[in-house]
């Protein structure tokens, strides 16, 4: 992985942690983090379970 990609992943992970900690899905009208991700990012059902587990994998869930 290049330095650019590593930095991009680091920035994205920080933003995901911030959004999850702020429980951003609630004021946006979603019942859960998984529902927020599905609605906002239209995640393919094949990947949805993996993405909904991302916060706990990142130590924030």
């Amino acid at each position: 992985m290049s330095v650019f990609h590593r930095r991009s992943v680091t920035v994205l992970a920080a933003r995901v942690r911030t959004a999850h900690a702020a429980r951003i899905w609630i004021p946006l009208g979603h019942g859960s983090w998984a529902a927020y991700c599905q609605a906002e990012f239209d995640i393919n059902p094949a990947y949805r379970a993996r993405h909904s587990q991302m916060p706990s994998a990142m130590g924030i869930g």
Side-chain angles (χ1 to χ4, degrees), residues 6 9 12 19-20 24 29 35 43 54:
R6 214 177 338 259
V9 168
L12 176 60
H20 190 269
I24 197 67
I43 295 173
M54 190 179 295

Side-chain angles (χ1 to χ4, degrees), residues 1-17 54 58:
M1 185 182 296
S2 73
V3 172
F4 172 78
H5 287 111
R6 214 177 338 259
R7 175 72 180 140
S8 297
V9 168
T10 300
V11 169
L12 176 60
R15 290 181 180 169
V16 168
R17 284 187 195 102
M54 190 179 295
M58 295 172 69

Side-chain angles (χ1 to χ4, degrees), residues 21-56:
R23 299 176 60 91
I24 197 67
W25 63 89
I26 295 171
L28 294 174
H30 302 288
S32 67
W33 175 257
Y36 163 74
C37 290
Q38 178 182 356
E40 297 295 326
F41 306 109
D42 193 28
I43 295 173
N44 181 312
Y47 298 104
R48 199 168 295 139
R50 184 181 326 162
H51 289 288
S52 68
Q53 295 170 2
M54 190 179 295
S56 25

